Amino acid sequence: SMIDEMAVLAGKDAFEFRMTMLKDKARELAVLKLLKEKSGWGTKLPAGEGMGLAFTPGFGAVVAQVAHVAVKKGELRVKKITCVADCGTLIEPSNVIAQLESGMVYGYSAALWDEITIEKGAVKQSNFTDYPMPILANTPEMEIHLIPSSGKPGGVGETSVPAVAPAIANAVFAATGQRIRKLPLKSAGFSVA
């Protein structure tokens, strides 16, 4: 999210700002260019809706995501997360997609709900009854695009997790002008749809 804040201060579009910083990195630029196209970045959105970008290379892969959110009367709904990944040589593309999707669900859960609280010196959460996880009814649409590559295979299990929270936080800023500085997002005063 700090990169997004710097882009705003520089008066630059989030994609343009990152692409300028990565101008000599063809792999990273390819991911960002495809994500900009596939996410519909720049589309005029209704009031209370916004898109946010996050870019997180790591584990031998390059991953970027755009979250599309709607915020109405204090209720936050993540409508869609679009992800583009260059994970090097794809051994089994359907498995890569499944791994990226599951990582995105994990990141989504962490961004919106997950927190461990201590009460009387012990962890309060003991099981899924008091540690909510997303279910299909409240998981956003996810769209994943893989960039074919002949490079060394990179990681896919963890690569999609870190971009979810900043993409959502940046989308909330685009929709409301409010910067999120604490997770989970429910702690920022939003009810989560």
Side-chain angles (χ1 to χ4, degrees):
S1 290
M2 179 59 72
I3 300 294
D4 206 64
E5 289 189 51
M6 291 176 3
V8 170
L9 287 172
K12 304 248 182 199
D13 171 80
F15 272 94
E16 177 187 334
F17 189 75
R18 285 166 179 85
M19 291 169 86
T20 299
M21 290 191 306
L22 298 166
K23 66 181 180 233
D24 298 325
K25 298 189 177 258
R27 188 175 182 207
E28 288 80 354
L29 287 174
V31 167
L32 287 170
K33 285 176 183 174
L34 184 60
L35 180 60
K36 186 175 184 179
E37 173 194 330
K38 296 296 186 180
S39 66
W41 188 266
T43 303
K44 183 153 176 61
L45 299 173
E49 292 190 19
M51 287 185 173
L53 167 66
F55 174 78
T56 56
F59 306 100
V62 178
V63 176
Q65 296 173 11
V66 166
H68 178 180
V69 304
V71 182
K72 294 194 175 33
K73 298 181 182 175
E75 182 179 84
L76 169 64
R77 182 167 71 92
V78 180
K79 297 176 78 169
K80 183 177 182 178
I81 303 173
T82 306
C83 174
V84 171
D86 178 342
C87 305
T89 299
L90 301 170
I91 307 300
E92 177 51 57
S94 62
N95 187 37
V96 171
I97 290 171
Q99 289 290 309
L100 292 170
E101 285 174 340
S102 66
M104 290 165 65
V105 170
Y106 187 78
Y108 174 73
S109 181
L112 271 62
W113 296 286
D114 293 0
E115 65 181 336
I116 301 294
T117 55
I118 307 296
E119 189 175 276
K120 297 181 183 176
V123 173
K124 186 176 175 183
Q125 292 75 21
S126 64
N127 209 326
F128 292 117
T129 56
D130 45 19
Y131 187 83
M133 297 290 290
I135 58 174
L136 284 177
N138 59 14
T139 300
E141 177 185 352
M142 294 181 186
E143 182 180 310
I144 296 179
H145 302 276
L146 302 175
I147 293 182
S149 172
S150 59
K152 180 179 172 185
V156 294
E158 301 87 3
T159 58
S160 61
V161 177
V164 176
I168 293 171
N170 291 336
V172 168
F173 174 76
T176 67
Q178 179 182 354
R179 278 284 176 208
I180 304 297
R181 305 208 188 280
K182 184 178 178 188
L183 295 176
L185 288 169
K186 68 178 184 179
S187 66
F190 293 104
S191 63
V192 180

